[in-house]
Amino acid sequence: EVQLVESGGGLVQPGGSLRLSCAVSGFTFDNYWMSWVRQAPGKGLEWVANIKQDGSEKYFVDSVKGRFTISRDNAKNSLYLQMNNLRAEDTAVYYCARVRGGYCSGDSCHHPFDYWGQGTLVTVSS
Amino acid sequence: EIVMTQSPATLSVSPGERATLSCRASQSVGTNLAWYQQKPGQAPRLLIYGASTRGTGIPARFSGSGSGTEFTLTISSLQSEDFAVYYCQQYNNWLLITFGPGTKLDIK
């Protein structure tokens, strides 16, 4: 059974940092691109970042570029999101998601997200 | 950035009836379009990808159609468990994936 379990959320002050983790099981982790998607309270879904199987390609939504970093440890079957210089507008539930499909690069990738974790809440407030 | 719009924002339908949800892209995304269902307090679930292919375990009452900029999700006979929020997503631009704002499907 495919499982994705996020952790690391919590309350942080503006300007602070937080590291989210996503532990996966039930599939061969290093065969898949992975993503982070967030959802502000009562709002819609916003894609945050993608990372390729070997970590060699990473893409981010403009609003987090330079502040967030995505990484993975294939030996530990884990995905991470390092969030620095957090702002109130980063408050959201953060989901990790598996990208359906196999190997691709850059503009040649066209895959949806087929499995999602239950999310972890990040609250940025003083 | 490819902007996704969905209509209507809220749709009220009776159980057993058909529901038709629309999604429009600001530029062509081919068939690189997915639909997700989200219930309160739950993660999204992949319903449709490639504009018309059902995801794993998705009932046949869910169908998708369209290409380019205009897409439709149809639920042929609404069941009680189908009342939820539905999002479309374009993944044609892999460097900037975008979602629509969602359509809330309510019980009439």
Side-chain angles (χ1 to χ4, degrees):
Chain A
E1 179 190 7
V2 172
Q3 288 194 322
L4 299 88
V5 180
E6 302 93 338
S7 61
L11 175 64
V12 61
Q13 292 187 339
S17 298
L18 213 54
R19 188 196 196 205
L20 306 184
S21 299
C22 173
V24 314
S25 60
F27 64 97
T28 304
F29 182 59
D30 58 8
N31 281 355
Y32 292 87
W33 280 77
M34 296 294 295
S35 290
W36 287 98
V37 176
R38 67 184 179 183
Q39 186 170 35
K43 303 298 184 182
L45 301 171
E46 180 183 40
W47 167 77
V48 174
N50 279 351
I51 185 168
K52 193 176 180 179
Q53 288 90 339
D54 61 0
S56 61
E57 292 183 38
K58 304 173 186 180
Y59 302 106
F60 298 89
V61 67
D62 286 351
S63 59
V64 308
K65 284 180 181 175
R67 301 188 300 122
F68 288 15
T69 300
I70 187 172
S71 62
R72 62 193 295 163
D73 186 334
N74 289 341
K76 294 183 177 180
N77 288 342
S78 293
L79 175 71
Y80 305 101
L81 186 67
Q82 177 67 44
M83 304 184 294
N84 298 329
N85 191 19
L86 282 159
R87 306 167 180 167
E89 54 265 35
D90 296 318
T91 294
V93 173
Y94 284 74
Y95 296 101
C96 64
R98 190 182 84 167
V99 174
R100 187 185 182 280
Y103 294 88
C104 59
S105 290
D107 284 349
S108 73
C109 293
H110 304 294
H111 301 298
F113 305 158
D114 60 355
Y115 287 94
W116 299 61
Q118 283 304 302
T120 187
L121 176 63
V122 173
T123 303
V124 184
S125 174
S126 54
Chain B
E1 176 183 350
I2 300 175
V3 177
M4 307 300 292
T5 56
Q6 292 185 241
S7 60
T10 303
L11 181 62
S12 297
V13 183
S14 299
E17 293 188 342
R18 174 188 296 258
T20 302
L21 290 67
S22 296
C23 174
R24 175 176 292 179
S26 61
Q27 63 190 79
S28 177
V29 299
T31 56
N32 294 312
L33 188 286
W35 290 93
Y36 298 86
Q37 177 193 66
Q38 187 179 34
K39 297 178 181 179
Q42 296 186 16
R45 178 173 72 145
L46 176 64
L47 293 177
I48 300 286
Y49 64 94
S52 61
T53 302
R54 281 190 299 277
T56 302
I58 303 303
R61 65 180 181 272
F62 291 91
S63 63
S65 64
S67 66
T69 62
E70 301 282 343
F71 301 89
T72 300
L73 173 69
T74 301
I75 310 171
S76 60
S77 178
L78 279 163
Q79 306 297 305
S80 58
E81 62 265 29
D82 299 335
F83 293 96
V85 179
Y86 292 82
Y87 295 96
C88 62
Q89 175 209 38
Q90 70 78 21
Y91 48 90
N92 190 62
N93 181 356
W94 191 244
L95 278 59
L96 185 53
I97 294 167
T98 49
F99 289 88
T103 290
K104 184 178 182 181
L105 185 54
D106 266 348
I107 300 176
K108 188 173 182 180

Short mmCIF file of all heavy atoms in Angstrom, two decimals, chain A residues 15-75:
data_model
loop_
_atom_site.label_atom_id
_atom_site.label_comp_id
_atom_site.label_asym_id
_atom_site.label_seq_id
_atom_site.Cartn_x
_atom_site.Cartn_y
_atom_site.Cartn_z
N GLY A 15 9.59 35.28 9.58
CA GLY A 15 11.04 35.31 9.46
C GLY A 15 11.73 34.04 9.92
O GLY A 15 12.93 33.86 9.71
N GLY A 16 10.98 33.15 10.54
CA GLY A 16 11.53 31.91 11.05
C GLY A 16 11.66 30.83 9.99
O GLY A 16 11.37 31.04 8.81
N SER A 17 12.13 29.68 10.43
CA SER A 17 12.37 28.55 9.54
C SER A 17 11.68 27.30 10.06
O SER A 17 11.41 27.18 11.26
CB SER A 17 13.87 28.27 9.41
OG SER A 17 14.55 29.37 8.85
N LEU A 18 11.43 26.39 9.13
CA LEU A 18 10.81 25.11 9.47
C LEU A 18 11.22 24.10 8.40
O LEU A 18 11.39 24.46 7.23
CB LEU A 18 9.29 25.27 9.49
CG LEU A 18 8.44 24.46 10.47
CD1 LEU A 18 8.93 24.64 11.90
CD2 LEU A 18 6.99 24.87 10.35
N ARG A 19 11.38 22.86 8.81
CA ARG A 19 11.70 21.80 7.85
C ARG A 19 10.62 20.75 7.92
O ARG A 19 10.40 20.13 8.96
CB ARG A 19 13.05 21.18 8.17
CG ARG A 19 13.53 20.19 7.09
CD ARG A 19 14.65 19.32 7.63
NE ARG A 19 15.39 18.65 6.56
CZ ARG A 19 16.05 17.52 6.74
NH1 ARG A 19 16.08 16.94 7.92
NH2 ARG A 19 16.72 16.97 5.73
N LEU A 20 9.97 20.54 6.78
CA LEU A 20 8.96 19.50 6.68
C LEU A 20 9.58 18.23 6.13
O LEU A 20 10.49 18.28 5.31
CB LEU A 20 7.82 19.94 5.75
CG LEU A 20 7.14 21.28 6.07
CD1 LEU A 20 5.98 21.52 5.11
CD2 LEU A 20 6.67 21.33 7.50
N SER A 21 9.04 17.10 6.59
CA SER A 21 9.49 15.79 6.10
C SER A 21 8.29 15.03 5.58
O SER A 21 7.15 15.24 6.02
CB SER A 21 10.16 15.00 7.21
OG SER A 21 11.30 15.65 7.71
N CYS A 22 8.57 14.13 4.65
CA CYS A 22 7.54 13.25 4.11
C CYS A 22 8.16 11.86 4.00
O CYS A 22 9.08 11.66 3.20
CB CYS A 22 7.05 13.73 2.77
SG CYS A 22 5.91 12.61 1.91
N ALA A 23 7.69 10.93 4.83
CA ALA A 23 8.18 9.57 4.79
C ALA A 23 7.26 8.73 3.92
O ALA A 23 6.04 8.76 4.11
CB ALA A 23 8.22 9.00 6.20
N VAL A 24 7.84 8.02 2.97
CA VAL A 24 7.02 7.25 2.05
C VAL A 24 7.29 5.76 2.20
O VAL A 24 8.36 5.34 2.65
CB VAL A 24 7.24 7.69 0.58
CG1 VAL A 24 7.22 9.21 0.46
CG2 VAL A 24 8.52 7.12 0.02
N SER A 25 6.30 4.97 1.80
CA SER A 25 6.43 3.51 1.80
C SER A 25 5.46 2.94 0.78
O SER A 25 4.55 3.63 0.31
CB SER A 25 6.14 2.95 3.19
OG SER A 25 4.83 3.28 3.60
N GLY A 26 5.70 1.68 0.42
CA GLY A 26 4.79 1.00 -0.49
C GLY A 26 5.12 1.16 -1.96
O GLY A 26 4.37 0.66 -2.81
N PHE A 27 6.20 1.86 -2.28
CA PHE A 27 6.63 1.98 -3.66
C PHE A 27 8.13 2.28 -3.69
O PHE A 27 8.71 2.66 -2.67
CB PHE A 27 5.84 3.05 -4.43
CG PHE A 27 6.00 4.47 -3.94
CD1 PHE A 27 6.90 5.34 -4.55
CD2 PHE A 27 5.26 4.94 -2.87
CE1 PHE A 27 7.04 6.65 -4.11
CE2 PHE A 27 5.38 6.24 -2.41
CZ PHE A 27 6.28 7.10 -3.03
N THR A 28 8.73 2.14 -4.86
CA THR A 28 10.16 2.38 -5.01
C THR A 28 10.38 3.87 -5.17
O THR A 28 10.20 4.44 -6.25
CB THR A 28 10.71 1.62 -6.22
OG1 THR A 28 10.41 0.22 -6.06
CG2 THR A 28 12.22 1.78 -6.31
N PHE A 29 10.75 4.51 -4.07
CA PHE A 29 10.80 5.96 -3.97
C PHE A 29 11.65 6.60 -5.07
O PHE A 29 11.24 7.59 -5.69
CB PHE A 29 11.34 6.35 -2.59
CG PHE A 29 11.40 7.83 -2.31
CD1 PHE A 29 10.27 8.62 -2.36
CD2 PHE A 29 12.61 8.43 -1.95
CE1 PHE A 29 10.32 9.97 -2.07
CE2 PHE A 29 12.68 9.79 -1.66
CZ PHE A 29 11.53 10.56 -1.73
N ASP A 30 12.81 6.03 -5.35
CA ASP A 30 13.73 6.69 -6.28
C ASP A 30 13.35 6.49 -7.74
O ASP A 30 14.09 6.87 -8.64
CB ASP A 30 15.18 6.31 -6.01
CG ASP A 30 15.43 4.82 -6.09
OD1 ASP A 30 14.52 4.08 -6.50
OD2 ASP A 30 16.55 4.40 -5.71
N ASN A 31 12.17 5.93 -8.00
CA ASN A 31 11.64 5.84 -9.37
C ASN A 31 10.72 6.99 -9.72
O ASN A 31 10.24 7.07 -10.86
CB ASN A 31 10.86 4.54 -9.56
CG ASN A 31 11.77 3.34 -9.77
OD1 ASN A 31 12.99 3.47 -9.86
ND2 ASN A 31 11.16 2.17 -9.83
N TYR A 32 10.45 7.87 -8.75
CA TYR A 32 9.41 8.88 -8.95
C TYR A 32 9.87 10.30 -8.65
O TYR A 32 10.58 10.55 -7.67
CB TYR A 32 8.21 8.58 -8.04
CG TYR A 32 7.47 7.33 -8.42
CD1 TYR A 32 7.88 6.10 -7.90
CD2 TYR A 32 6.39 7.38 -9.27
CE1 TYR A 32 7.20 4.94 -8.26
CE2 TYR A 32 5.71 6.23 -9.63
CZ TYR A 32 6.12 5.02 -9.12
OH TYR A 32 5.45 3.88 -9.47
N TRP A 33 9.41 11.24 -9.51
CA TRP A 33 9.42 12.65 -9.12
C TRP A 33 8.50 12.78 -7.91
O TRP A 33 7.55 12.01 -7.75
CB TRP A 33 8.86 13.51 -10.24
CG TRP A 33 9.76 13.84 -11.37
CD1 TRP A 33 10.12 13.02 -12.41
CD2 TRP A 33 10.36 15.11 -11.64
NE1 TRP A 33 10.91 13.70 -13.29
CE2 TRP A 33 11.08 14.99 -12.86
CE3 TRP A 33 10.36 16.35 -10.98
CZ2 TRP A 33 11.80 16.05 -13.42
CZ3 TRP A 33 11.07 17.40 -11.54
CH2 TRP A 33 11.77 17.25 -12.74
N MET A 34 8.77 13.80 -7.09
CA MET A 34 7.93 14.10 -5.94
C MET A 34 7.62 15.59 -5.89
O MET A 34 8.36 16.41 -6.45
CB MET A 34 8.61 13.68 -4.63
CG MET A 34 8.86 12.18 -4.50
SD MET A 34 7.34 11.20 -4.39
CE MET A 34 6.66 11.78 -2.82
N SER A 35 6.53 15.92 -5.20
CA SER A 35 6.08 17.32 -5.16
C SER A 35 5.61 17.72 -3.77
O SER A 35 5.25 16.87 -2.95
CB SER A 35 4.90 17.51 -6.11
OG SER A 35 5.29 17.44 -7.44
N TRP A 36 5.59 19.01 -3.55
CA TRP A 36 4.91 19.60 -2.40
C TRP A 36 3.81 20.53 -2.93
O TRP A 36 4.04 21.29 -3.89
CB TRP A 36 5.87 20.42 -1.53
CG TRP A 36 6.82 19.60 -0.72
CD1 TRP A 36 8.12 19.30 -1.02
CD2 TRP A 36 6.56 18.97 0.54
NE1 TRP A 36 8.68 18.53 -0.03
CE2 TRP A 36 7.75 18.31 0.94
CE3 TRP A 36 5.44 18.90 1.38
CZ2 TRP A 36 7.85 17.59 2.14
CZ3 TRP A 36 5.55 18.19 2.57
CH2 TRP A 36 6.74 17.56 2.93
N VAL A 37 2.65 20.42 -2.32
CA VAL A 37 1.50 21.27 -2.66
C VAL A 37 0.96 21.82 -1.35
O VAL A 37 0.94 21.11 -0.34
CB VAL A 37 0.40 20.45 -3.38
CG1 VAL A 37 -0.84 21.32 -3.65
CG2 VAL A 37 0.94 19.85 -4.68
N ARG A 38 0.51 23.06 -1.35
CA ARG A 38 -0.02 23.63 -0.11
C ARG A 38 -1.43 24.17 -0.31
O ARG A 38 -1.87 24.40 -1.44
CB ARG A 38 0.89 24.74 0.42
CG ARG A 38 0.96 25.98 -0.44
CD ARG A 38 1.99 26.96 0.16
NE ARG A 38 2.12 28.17 -0.64
CZ ARG A 38 2.98 29.14 -0.37
NH1 ARG A 38 3.79 29.06 0.71
NH2 ARG A 38 3.04 30.22 -1.14
N GLN A 39 -2.11 24.34 0.82
CA GLN A 39 -3.49 24.82 0.80
C GLN A 39 -3.69 25.73 2.01
O GLN A 39 -3.71 25.25 3.15
CB GLN A 39 -4.46 23.64 0.82
CG GLN A 39 -5.90 24.02 0.67
CD GLN A 39 -6.79 22.81 0.47
OE1 GLN A 39 -6.56 21.74 1.01
NE2 GLN A 39 -7.82 22.97 -0.36
N ALA A 40 -3.83 27.02 1.75
CA ALA A 40 -4.11 27.97 2.82
C ALA A 40 -5.50 27.68 3.39
O ALA A 40 -6.36 27.13 2.69
CB ALA A 40 -4.02 29.39 2.29
N PRO A 41 -5.73 28.04 4.65
CA PRO A 41 -7.02 27.74 5.27
C PRO A 41 -8.20 28.26 4.46
O PRO A 41 -8.27 29.45 4.12
CB PRO A 41 -6.92 28.46 6.62
CG PRO A 41 -5.47 28.51 6.92
CD PRO A 41 -4.79 28.68 5.58
N GLY A 42 -9.11 27.36 4.10
CA GLY A 42 -10.30 27.74 3.35
C GLY A 42 -10.06 28.09 1.89
O GLY A 42 -10.98 28.56 1.21
N LYS A 43 -8.84 27.86 1.41
CA LYS A 43 -8.50 28.24 0.02
C LYS A 43 -8.23 27.02 -0.84
O LYS A 43 -8.40 25.87 -0.40
CB LYS A 43 -7.25 29.15 0.04
CG LYS A 43 -7.42 30.40 0.88
CD LYS A 43 -8.53 31.29 0.35
CE LYS A 43 -8.61 32.59 1.15
NZ LYS A 43 -9.71 33.47 0.69
N GLY A 44 -7.80 27.28 -2.07
CA GLY A 44 -7.54 26.21 -3.02
C GLY A 44 -6.13 25.67 -2.93
O GLY A 44 -5.35 26.03 -2.04
N LEU A 45 -5.80 24.81 -3.87
CA LEU A 45 -4.50 24.14 -3.90
C LEU A 45 -3.49 25.00 -4.65
O LEU A 45 -3.81 25.61 -5.67
CB LEU A 45 -4.64 22.79 -4.59
CG LEU A 45 -5.63 21.81 -3.96
CD1 LEU A 45 -5.84 20.60 -4.87
CD2 LEU A 45 -5.15 21.37 -2.59
N GLU A 46 -2.26 25.00 -4.15
CA GLU A 46 -1.17 25.70 -4.81
C GLU A 46 0.04 24.79 -4.86
O GLU A 46 0.56 24.36 -3.82
CB GLU A 46 -0.82 27.01 -4.09
CG GLU A 46 0.32 27.77 -4.77
CD GLU A 46 0.73 29.02 -4.03
OE1 GLU A 46 0.78 29.00 -2.78
OE2 GLU A 46 1.04 30.03 -4.71
N TRP A 47 0.52 24.50 -6.07
CA TRP A 47 1.76 23.73 -6.22
C TRP A 47 2.92 24.57 -5.70
O TRP A 47 2.99 25.77 -5.96
CB TRP A 47 1.97 23.38 -7.68
CG TRP A 47 3.33 22.87 -7.99
CD1 TRP A 47 3.81 21.61 -7.72
CD2 TRP A 47 4.39 23.58 -8.61
NE1 TRP A 47 5.12 21.52 -8.15
CE2 TRP A 47 5.50 22.71 -8.70
CE3 TRP A 47 4.53 24.88 -9.11
CZ2 TRP A 47 6.72 23.08 -9.26
CZ3 TRP A 47 5.74 25.26 -9.67
CH2 TRP A 47 6.82 24.38 -9.74
N VAL A 48 3.83 23.91 -4.97
CA VAL A 48 4.96 24.62 -4.37
C VAL A 48 6.28 24.25 -5.05
O VAL A 48 7.07 25.12 -5.42
CB VAL A 48 5.06 24.31 -2.86
CG1 VAL A 48 6.33 24.92 -2.26
CG2 VAL A 48 3.82 24.80 -2.13
N ALA A 49 6.55 22.95 -5.20
CA ALA A 49 7.86 22.53 -5.73
C ALA A 49 7.81 21.09 -6.21
O ALA A 49 6.99 20.29 -5.76
CB ALA A 49 8.93 22.66 -4.65
N ASN A 50 8.72 20.79 -7.14
CA ASN A 50 8.94 19.43 -7.65
C ASN A 50 10.40 19.08 -7.54
O ASN A 50 11.27 19.96 -7.64
CB ASN A 50 8.58 19.36 -9.14
CG ASN A 50 7.11 19.22 -9.40
OD1 ASN A 50 6.32 19.00 -8.50
ND2 ASN A 50 6.73 19.35 -10.66
N ILE A 51 10.70 17.79 -7.41
CA ILE A 51 12.08 17.33 -7.43
C ILE A 51 12.16 16.02 -8.20
O ILE A 51 11.32 15.13 -8.04
CB ILE A 51 12.66 17.19 -6.01
CG1 ILE A 51 14.14 16.82 -6.04
CG2 ILE A 51 11.86 16.17 -5.19
CD1 ILE A 51 14.83 16.93 -4.68
N LYS A 52 13.18 15.92 -9.03
CA LYS A 52 13.40 14.75 -9.87
C LYS A 52 13.90 13.58 -9.02
O LYS A 52 14.30 13.76 -7.87
CB LYS A 52 14.42 15.09 -10.95
CG LYS A 52 14.52 14.08 -12.08
CD LYS A 52 15.49 14.58 -13.15
CE LYS A 52 15.59 13.59 -14.28
NZ LYS A 52 16.50 14.06 -15.35
N GLN A 53 13.86 12.39 -9.62
CA GLN A 53 14.22 11.17 -8.90
C GLN A 53 15.58 11.26 -8.21
O GLN A 53 15.74 10.84 -7.05
CB GLN A 53 14.23 9.97 -9.86
CG GLN A 53 12.88 9.50 -10.32
CD GLN A 53 12.40 10.17 -11.59
OE1 GLN A 53 12.86 11.24 -11.97
NE2 GLN A 53 11.46 9.52 -12.27
N ASP A 54 16.57 11.82 -8.91
CA ASP A 54 17.92 11.88 -8.34
C ASP A 54 18.25 13.25 -7.73
O ASP A 54 19.39 13.51 -7.36
CB ASP A 54 18.95 11.54 -9.42
CG ASP A 54 18.93 12.50 -10.59
OD1 ASP A 54 18.10 13.44 -10.58
OD2 ASP A 54 19.73 12.32 -11.52
N GLY A 55 17.26 14.11 -7.66
CA GLY A 55 17.45 15.44 -7.08
C GLY A 55 18.14 16.43 -7.99
O GLY A 55 18.43 17.55 -7.57
N SER A 56 18.37 16.06 -9.25
CA SER A 56 19.14 16.92 -10.14
C SER A 56 18.31 18.05 -10.74
O SER A 56 18.88 19.01 -11.29
CB SER A 56 19.75 16.09 -11.27
OG SER A 56 18.72 15.46 -12.04
N GLU A 57 17.01 17.96 -10.67
CA GLU A 57 16.13 19.03 -11.14
C GLU A 57 15.14 19.38 -10.05
O GLU A 57 14.57 18.49 -9.40
CB GLU A 57 15.38 18.60 -12.40
CG GLU A 57 16.25 18.43 -13.62
CD GLU A 57 15.44 18.09 -14.87
OE1 GLU A 57 14.32 18.63 -15.02
OE2 GLU A 57 15.93 17.27 -15.67
N LYS A 58 14.96 20.67 -9.86
CA LYS A 58 14.03 21.18 -8.85
C LYS A 58 13.34 22.41 -9.42
O LYS A 58 14.01 23.26 -10.03
CB LYS A 58 14.79 21.56 -7.58
CG LYS A 58 15.62 20.44 -6.98
CD LYS A 58 16.48 20.92 -5.82
CE LYS A 58 17.40 19.82 -5.33
NZ LYS A 58 18.24 20.26 -4.19
N TYR A 59 12.05 22.50 -9.19
CA TYR A 59 11.30 23.65 -9.68
C TYR A 59 10.40 24.17 -8.57
O TYR A 59 9.89 23.39 -7.76
CB TYR A 59 10.46 23.26 -10.90
CG TYR A 59 11.31 22.71 -12.03
CD1 TYR A 59 11.32 21.36 -12.33
CD2 TYR A 59 12.13 23.55 -12.78
CE1 TYR A 59 12.11 20.85 -13.35
CE2 TYR A 59 12.92 23.05 -13.79
CZ TYR A 59 12.91 21.70 -14.07
OH TYR A 59 13.71 21.20 -15.06
N PHE A 60 10.22 25.49 -8.56
CA PHE A 60 9.48 26.13 -7.48
C PHE A 60 8.49 27.16 -8.03
O PHE A 60 8.75 27.79 -9.07
CB PHE A 60 10.44 26.88 -6.54
CG PHE A 60 11.44 26.01 -5.85
CD1 PHE A 60 12.66 25.75 -6.45
CD2 PHE A 60 11.16 25.44 -4.62
CE1 PHE A 60 13.60 24.93 -5.84
CE2 PHE A 60 12.10 24.64 -3.99
CZ PHE A 60 13.31 24.38 -4.60
N VAL A 61 7.40 27.36 -7.30
CA VAL A 61 6.52 28.47 -7.62
C VAL A 61 7.26 29.76 -7.27
O VAL A 61 8.09 29.79 -6.35
CB VAL A 61 5.18 28.34 -6.84
CG1 VAL A 61 5.39 28.52 -5.35
CG2 VAL A 61 4.15 29.31 -7.38
N ASP A 62 6.98 30.81 -8.00
CA ASP A 62 7.74 32.06 -7.84
C ASP A 62 7.72 32.59 -6.40
O ASP A 62 8.71 33.13 -5.92
CB ASP A 62 7.19 33.13 -8.79
CG ASP A 62 7.60 32.89 -10.23
OD1 ASP A 62 8.43 31.99 -10.47
OD2 ASP A 62 7.08 33.60 -11.12
N SER A 63 6.61 32.45 -5.73
CA SER A 63 6.44 33.07 -4.40
C SER A 63 7.36 32.46 -3.33
O SER A 63 7.51 33.05 -2.26
CB SER A 63 4.98 32.97 -3.95
OG SER A 63 4.58 31.61 -3.89
N VAL A 64 7.97 31.30 -3.61
CA VAL A 64 8.85 30.69 -2.60
C VAL A 64 10.30 30.60 -3.07
O VAL A 64 11.17 30.17 -2.30
CB VAL A 64 8.36 29.28 -2.18
CG1 VAL A 64 6.89 29.32 -1.76
CG2 VAL A 64 8.59 28.25 -3.28
N LYS A 65 10.56 31.00 -4.30
CA LYS A 65 11.93 30.92 -4.81
C LYS A 65 12.87 31.75 -3.94
O LYS A 65 12.57 32.88 -3.56
CB LYS A 65 11.99 31.42 -6.25
CG LYS A 65 11.45 30.43 -7.27
CD LYS A 65 11.52 30.98 -8.69
CE LYS A 65 10.95 29.99 -9.68
NZ LYS A 65 10.90 30.53 -11.06
N GLY A 66 14.02 31.15 -3.62
CA GLY A 66 14.99 31.82 -2.78
C GLY A 66 14.73 31.65 -1.29
O GLY A 66 15.60 31.98 -0.47
N ARG A 67 13.58 31.15 -0.92
CA ARG A 67 13.25 30.95 0.50
C ARG A 67 13.07 29.47 0.84
O ARG A 67 13.41 29.03 1.95
CB ARG A 67 11.96 31.69 0.86
CG ARG A 67 12.01 33.19 0.63
CD ARG A 67 10.77 33.90 1.18
NE ARG A 67 9.54 33.43 0.58
CZ ARG A 67 8.52 32.91 1.25
NH1 ARG A 67 8.58 32.77 2.56
NH2 ARG A 67 7.42 32.53 0.62
N PHE A 68 12.52 28.70 -0.08
CA PHE A 68 12.26 27.28 0.16
C PHE A 68 13.24 26.43 -0.63
O PHE A 68 13.63 26.79 -1.76
CB PHE A 68 10.84 26.90 -0.28
CG PHE A 68 9.73 27.42 0.59
CD1 PHE A 68 9.93 28.42 1.53
CD2 PHE A 68 8.44 26.90 0.47
CE1 PHE A 68 8.91 28.90 2.33
CE2 PHE A 68 7.40 27.37 1.25
CZ PHE A 68 7.64 28.37 2.17
N THR A 69 13.59 25.29 -0.07
CA THR A 69 14.44 24.31 -0.75
C THR A 69 13.77 22.95 -0.64
O THR A 69 13.31 22.57 0.44
CB THR A 69 15.83 24.25 -0.11
OG1 THR A 69 16.45 25.54 -0.18
CG2 THR A 69 16.71 23.25 -0.84
N ILE A 70 13.75 22.22 -1.74
CA ILE A 70 13.24 20.86 -1.74
C ILE A 70 14.41 19.90 -1.87
O ILE A 70 15.37 20.17 -2.61
CB ILE A 70 12.20 20.65 -2.88
CG1 ILE A 70 11.53 19.27 -2.77
CG2 ILE A 70 12.84 20.85 -4.25
CD1 ILE A 70 10.36 19.09 -3.75
N SER A 71 14.35 18.80 -1.14
CA SER A 71 15.42 17.80 -1.23
C SER A 71 14.83 16.42 -0.92
O SER A 71 13.68 16.30 -0.50
CB SER A 71 16.55 18.12 -0.25
OG SER A 71 16.09 18.10 1.08
N ARG A 72 15.63 15.41 -1.13
CA ARG A 72 15.18 14.04 -0.87
C ARG A 72 16.36 13.20 -0.46
O ARG A 72 17.52 13.49 -0.83
CB ARG A 72 14.50 13.46 -2.12
CG ARG A 72 15.38 13.35 -3.33
CD ARG A 72 14.55 13.08 -4.59
NE ARG A 72 13.89 11.79 -4.55
CZ ARG A 72 12.87 11.44 -5.33
NH1 ARG A 72 12.39 12.31 -6.21
NH2 ARG A 72 12.32 10.23 -5.24
N ASP A 73 16.08 12.16 0.31
CA ASP A 73 17.08 11.16 0.69
C ASP A 73 16.51 9.82 0.25
O ASP A 73 15.65 9.25 0.94
CB ASP A 73 17.33 11.20 2.19
CG ASP A 73 18.46 10.30 2.62
OD1 ASP A 73 18.73 9.29 1.92
OD2 ASP A 73 19.07 10.55 3.68
N ASN A 74 16.97 9.34 -0.87
CA ASN A 74 16.41 8.10 -1.42
C ASN A 74 16.73 6.89 -0.55
O ASN A 74 15.97 5.92 -0.52
CB ASN A 74 16.90 7.88 -2.85
CG ASN A 74 16.28 8.87 -3.83
OD1 ASN A 74 15.24 9.47 -3.54
ND2 ASN A 74 16.90 9.06 -4.98
N ALA A 75 17.82 6.95 0.18
CA ALA A 75 18.17 5.84 1.07
C ALA A 75 17.20 5.75 2.26
O ALA A 75 16.99 4.68 2.82
CB ALA A 75 19.60 6.00 1.58
#
